[in-house]
Amino acid sequence: QTGSANTNPSDSADDEYITSVSIGTPAQVLPLDFDTGSSDLWVFSSETPKSSASGHVTYSPSKSSTAKKLSGSTWSIKYGDKSSSSGDVYTDVVTIGGFSVKTQAVESATKVSTQFVQDTLISGLVGLGFDIGNQVSPRPQKTWFSNAASSLAEPLFTADLRHQETGSYNFGFIDTSLAKGTIGYTPADGSEGYWGFTATGYSVGGAKLNRNSITGIADTGTTLLLLPDNIVDAYYNNVESAEYDDSQEGVVFDCSEDLPSFSFGVGGQTITISGDLLNLTPIEEGSSTCFGGLQSSSDIGTNIFGDVALKAALVVFDLGNERLGWAQK
Ligand SMILES: CSC[C@H](NC(=O)[C@H](Cc1ccccc1)NC(=O)N1CCOCC1)C(=O)N[C@@H](CC1CCCCC1)[C@@H](O)C(=O)OC(C)C
């Protein structure tokens, strides 16, 4: 068996990607953000304070004949951007891209931080990280993918995120036609709950790849490509108008500048992110100053190959073989 779900950028900056998920009987369809950087499936629900839930699609377990309360279980989660949520837990049928998991832990939010209240485009997250990262207590729950894996044709999923167009999350199969290049595989380290891996080097503007290990995570839930300062500086030294903007907390530049590409080596392949993918968006509507898709990882403590990098590739999250595959798109 397999599953295939379309995913769409939330806004003109591709800030996040939205995928429709069906929960319960009859199906309640919610727009969720698939996040390989976390391992909890949680939703805005009938238990979320009305003031916080305003403008959001919500899940009502009481309206689902297959919902069951997981009594005594609670959850609480905090993300890299300091947003947070918490609540209690139900199990219900969850269908993604036509594939159903009958008894999936659906974490219902009784509290959500301001960022989530304001982001009315999503009603929660589907964590696609490793089960060890799940935040339900006293008994951690499995992710949707972990529950699905044993029934899928192959225990893997692919992410095909695209700039300002519809992409896909495919489960149980690899559609190689989505990629131009060969898929290069490298070991994935799930010990922290994320999809960790090591890139073998980088280059700017199509120059020869210099060799230096960059250890980081493949994270569909992070907008940017976040790398060490020395690499960020090496890139922006080629962008004449680039400067650090304190209020934007990142490097900005003239929107009119042609940006060089950025490449990194992984699994014996070279993934090249085109210059236009590295211009994220004007800092404000109509501004001629733009915000860079490549920024420093120094205040996070880990390098993150987020959506800006993932948009350049077809990425295979291969749980069965504990490896990540990358192919140029
Ligand atoms: C350095 S880690 C920062 C990362 N967040 C982000 O990347 C958020 C995602 C977002 C987009 C739109 C609206 C709201 C939030 N974007 C962000 O901080 N941006 C500021 C810079 O300009 C680009 C947008 C993050 O916390 N990712 C979470 C998932 C994320 C999904 C959206 C809701 C908030 C939580 C997760 O992947 C995570 O914590 O990863 C860990 C391993 C770092």
Side-chain angles (χ1 to χ4, degrees), residues 93-125:
V93 57
V94 176
T95 302
I96 294 176
F99 186 96
S100 295
V101 167
K102 291 202 176 11
T103 314
Q104 173 62 40
V106 179
E107 301 169 32
S108 162
T110 57
K111 252 170 86 180
V112 290
S113 65
T114 309
Q115 183 184 294
F116 286 116
V117 172
Q118 291 167 344
D119 184 5
T120 53
L121 295 171
I122 61 168
S123 293
L125 270 64

Side-chain angles (χ1 to χ4, degrees), residues 10-11 13-17 33-38 42 78-84 115-116 119 122 124-125 194 217 219-224 226 248-249 280-281 291-292 295 299-300 302 304 307:
S10 60
D11 59 19
D14 303 339
D15 275 315
E16 58 192 357
Y17 285 80
D33 187 352
F34 285 19
D35 178 25
T36 56
S38 66
W42 72 266
K78 195 171 170 72
Y79 295 102
D81 58 16
K82 309 284 182 274
S83 59
S84 61
Q115 183 184 294
F116 286 116
D119 184 5
I122 61 168
L125 270 64
Y194 319 124
I217 67 170
D219 185 3
T220 58
T222 287
T223 313
L224 304 177
L226 302 169
Q248 295 297 321
E249 293 185 331
L280 193 76
T281 184
F291 190 77
Q295 298 291 345
D299 62 3
I300 294 148
T302 180
I304 303 183
D307 301 338

Side-chain angles (χ1 to χ4, degrees), residues 32 36 39 140 187 205:
L32 302 181
T36 56
S39 307

